[in-house]
Amino acid sequence: MFTPTDAEVASARAVVAAAEEAGGRIVRVDGQMIGPPMVKAARALLARVDGRMPRGVSA
């Protein structure tokens, strides 16, 4: 079973927050360019952590 670390969850939250603030455009988070595929992955990780999506289901 995949359990993300606290650092991975914090990073995903930062990615989603930055993307929302930028209106969905490509953003830079911690020196990395973040585009829609990474935002989608971050949202999926947060959904699993928050219990909104069963494991094995992708966003």
Side-chain angles (χ1 to χ4, degrees), residues 3-53:
T3 302
T5 65
D6 290 341
E8 289 169 327
V9 172
S11 177
R13 290 191 197 287
V15 164
V16 170
E20 288 175 354
E21 186 175 311
R25 294 185 310 269
I26 293 174
V27 295
R28 187 175 295 269
V29 177
D30 295 330
Q32 294 185 331
M33 296 298 289
I34 304 293
M38 292 297 294
V39 175
K40 183 177 179 180
R43 284 189 172 122
L45 183 143
L46 294 175
R48 284 192 302 273
V49 167
D50 293 340
R52 294 186 309 249
M53 183 184 309

